[in-house]
Amino acid sequence: MQNNKLRMAIRATAAVTVLGLASQAQAFSFSAGDYDVSVYGYGRLNASYDLDNNQALSTRSGSYSGLASDDGKDGHFGADAVQSRLGVKTVTPQGVAVTVEGDFRGGNLRLRHGFGEYNGVLMGQTWSNFTSFVGNTATLDFDSLPGLAGYQARTAQARYTSGPLSIALEQPNSSIIAAGLDDDGDPAVLDVDGKDSMPAFTARIEDSNDGMSYSAALLAHQVGYDTGTSDESSFGFATFVAAKMMLTDMITLQGTLSYSDGANSYLYRSGDNFGAPSAYVDSSGDVETISGYGGSIGAGINLGGGRSINIGYGMVEVDWDDAEDEAADAGFAGILDGQSETNSAVMANYKWTPVKNVMMGVEYQFLKRENVDGSDGDASRLLFAAQYNF
């Protein structure tokens, strides 16, 4: 019985998260001629109180940018409703499914999902195939823990799914840096204009067996630049594993492990916030990859009566050693001191569903960042959320 419950929960979760429906209980459905139409979404308030520096982004999620620098201004409150969401899904008489969904993060309507699907072939923008939610711990923070499995974002792609296996060609994402002089002639870390010559390739397997759900994936892409006179590139890859186990009818345990080399844009919440540089250009003009790793672990406790407690820990670490040595050899010693080497977080929350389609919750967060030079900083935050689904 426990195994059957878990399998049903996994399948339901996978179905709704692909469509971005994981946060609402149901959709409003109707028929328009021979078309089946579902309209779904929610209105949501997020509020935060930063006991230390103001680390809030839109949706009041916590940021790692500037965390290692204490400005001495403690105590910041803010609230917004930009996570509120609206989506429409239609299914044609021929079985073609089309989904369009948006939210208001950033203050304007933005596209989250826009894709069509037929017979296992999906084209458009939706969650990257190099993403899994299986090992995620539920948080109120929209951006959640560092070290989660894969990209944890949406991208344009062409995907084919057969059973537990899915493969995709996706819009690539990477960044390259170099040590040099800025416009004022001062030593600085410079962004290099990269060139994408081919899509990123991803492959993922996701399934459940004997009381456990699991997922594993691989990503490969090219990291390079072309100035017109110099054209250099390297191969980057990333991989992850994720799993969730139902220990009892009340308690789940879940976790993730990730590794990247030349694909740190897919190492979730590394760097300043969402992805450390994937490579650097050395003094000879070659592209050298930067590696990193991360992981998360958490538990969920269902208290009954629509109440639950979730607690999770996540961290990522980027290996800057080779890049530091190269910068020193080129006469730019210490130029990378302010780069984030380790990001970590603890998030614990209490969620309550007083009536169907309404969720309220409170969360405590402890964020920490350590830079290459050893400087560090941390922040304690409190979050509140109220969400009304339709």
Side-chain angles (χ1 to χ4, degrees), residues 201 218-223 234-238 260-264 278 289:
F201 170 81
L218 175 70
L219 173 141
H221 72 161
Q222 185 184 46
V223 185
S234 288
F235 172 79
F237 76 95
S260 68
D261 188 358
N264 290 331
S278 296
T289 59

Side-chain angles (χ1 to χ4, degrees), residues 129-305:
N129 192 48
F130 190 69
T131 295
S132 176
F133 303 101
V134 164
N136 290 16
T137 298
T139 64
L140 296 183
D141 190 302
F142 188 62
D143 296 321
S144 199
L145 296 164
L148 297 181
Y151 193 29
Q152 296 288 312
R154 299 160 298 278
T155 190
Q157 62 190 275
R159 183 195 303 180
Y160 176 71
T161 301
S162 178
L165 176 66
S166 55
I167 58 175
L169 297 176
E170 302 184 1
Q171 169 67 28
N173 185 24
S174 65
S175 64
I176 308 173
I177 60 171
L181 300 176
D182 62 18
D183 293 339
D184 296 324
D186 298 322
V189 177
L190 307 178
D191 293 326
V192 176
D193 290 333
K195 183 183 75 171
D196 296 322
S197 299
M198 60 184 65
F201 170 81
T202 66
R204 185 188 64 188
I205 185 170
E206 191 160 309
D207 207 349
S208 62
N209 186 39
D210 294 333
M212 177 181 288
S213 61
Y214 58 88
S215 181
L218 175 70
L219 173 141
H221 72 161
Q222 185 184 46
V223 185
Y225 71 96
D226 187 349
T227 63
T229 58
S230 180
D231 183 359
E232 299 291 340
S233 65
S234 288
F235 172 79
F237 76 95
T239 187
F240 72 74
V241 293
K244 174 176 289 187
M245 176 178 290
M246 183 175 286
L247 301 181
T248 71
D249 287 342
M250 294 177 55
I251 302 173
T252 62
L253 181 67
Q254 56 273 339
T256 63
L257 287 173
S258 301
Y259 177 79
S260 68
D261 188 358
N264 290 331
S265 298
Y266 299 91
L267 184 62
Y268 190 60
R269 306 213 71 178
S270 60
D272 260 357
N273 209 32
F274 292 110
S278 296
Y280 64 93
V281 179
D282 66 17
S283 57
S284 63
D286 294 333
V287 176
E288 302 292 343
T289 59
I290 302 172
S291 64
Y293 66 90
S296 69
I297 188 169
I301 305 172
N302 183 357
L303 302 176

Side-chain angles (χ1 to χ4, degrees), residues 111-133:
L111 179 69
R112 285 173 52 86
H113 300 275
F115 65 91
E117 187 174 16
Y118 180 69
N119 279 353
V121 177
L122 179 151
M123 293 192 183
Q125 176 174 300
T126 188
W127 294 110
S128 167
N129 192 48
F130 190 69
T131 295
S132 176
F133 303 101

Side-chain angles (χ1 to χ4, degrees), residues 119 188 236 347 360:
N119 279 353
M347 299 183 185
M360 297 185 180

